[in-house]
Amino acid sequence: MGELFRKELSPRGIKQILLLLFVGGLCSLFPDSIVVYNFLINGTLEHCWIGPIPTHSLLFSFSAILSGAFIGYIVYRNFGKAVYMSLFAEAAFLSHLLLDDIDEGGVVYFYPIYNQPISVFSYMGVGFLEVNLVHYLIASFVSVFFIYTIIMMALFALNRFGFEFRFRSEK
C-alpha cells in the first residue's frame, strides 16, 4: 500500500484493488441480500431465509464461491485467478457468518444436515470458572481457529493478486 501513498500505483493496480473491494463487499453481503426482497414484498426485515433455505449457511456460501469465480474469470480470463477470487469471496462470506454468530449467538451453518443454529462463540462471554474448563478451552480454540482460517484464506488469495506478505527480520 506504500505505492498508493507515494502515488506509484498504476491504474491497473487501482482497478485490481477496486475489484477486490467490490467482490469482498458483495460477497460479504450475500447472506443479507434477501432483506431487500422481504422488505419490498413482505414488509419485513427478515434476512436469514430464502423460503426454506437459510442464507446464513455453508450451503448458501456456494453462491459466493460461484460469484467470485464468475467475476474472476470474466475479468482475468484465467481459471487459476478465478479460483483465487472465489477463495477470497468465500472468506468474505464466512467473515459475515462469524460476525453474525458473535452478534446473534448462532447460525445454521450445516443446513440441510443440521437445521438448528450453532454458535462457534458460545462460551466467549462466559468465564471458565462458570463452565467446565475443558469445554471453555475447546470453544475458545475453535473460535480462534475459525477466525484464523478465514484470515489465512483471504491472505492466501490476496497473495495471488499481487499483495505480498513476507517476513522481514528486525535489524
Side-chain angles (χ1 to χ4, degrees):
M1 291 305 274
E3 293 86 3
L4 181 62
F5 296 117
R6 292 189 304 265
K7 299 186 181 187
E8 296 174 2
L9 193 60
S10 68
R12 182 174 178 248
I14 291 172
K15 287 179 185 176
Q16 189 162 349
I17 290 173
L18 291 175
L19 176 66
L20 288 168
L21 287 172
F22 172 75
V23 169
L26 178 72
C27 292
S28 67
L29 292 176
F30 268 175
D32 290 342
S33 60
I34 197 65
V35 75
V36 175
Y37 170 81
N38 279 331
F39 181 72
L40 295 174
I41 303 301
N42 300 327
T44 67
L45 293 177
E46 173 61 41
H47 67 283
C48 294
W49 296 87
I50 294 179
I53 300 172
T55 58
H56 290 63
S57 66
L58 296 177
L59 177 67
F60 194 71
S61 76
F62 285 109
S63 63
I65 293 170
L66 294 175
S67 297
F70 179 75
I71 292 170
Y73 190 77
I74 292 296
V75 171
Y76 296 109
R77 299 282 185 213
N78 181 320
F79 181 73
K81 284 199 174 191
V83 169
Y84 283 100
M85 187 64 77
S86 68
L87 181 66
F88 184 73
E90 179 68 4
F93 186 95
L94 291 176
S95 66
H96 179 108
L97 292 187
L98 287 180
L99 289 172
D100 273 3
D101 187 356
I102 291 170
D103 182 47
E104 298 171 7
V107 172
V108 187
Y109 290 106
F110 298 114
Y111 176 84
I113 296 167
Y114 187 72
N115 296 335
Q116 298 300 316
I118 298 171
S119 179
V120 174
F121 302 96
S122 60
Y123 290 115
M124 294 312 290
V126 180
F128 68 87
L129 295 176
E130 299 171 17
V131 295
N132 184 333
L133 176 62
V134 174
H135 289 147
Y136 177 78
L137 291 175
I138 290 172
S140 297
F141 177 76
V142 168
S143 303
V144 171
F145 177 76
F146 280 119
I147 292 170
Y148 166 80
T149 301
I150 290 172
I151 291 170
M152 291 307 293
M153 284 171 58
L155 292 176
F156 186 69
L158 287 172
N159 189 39
R160 177 73 163 126
F161 293 107
F163 292 86
E164 291 186 358
F165 302 99
R166 59 182 171 220
F167 175 75
R168 287 185 289 263
S169 61
E170 294 183 34
K171 294 180 182 183

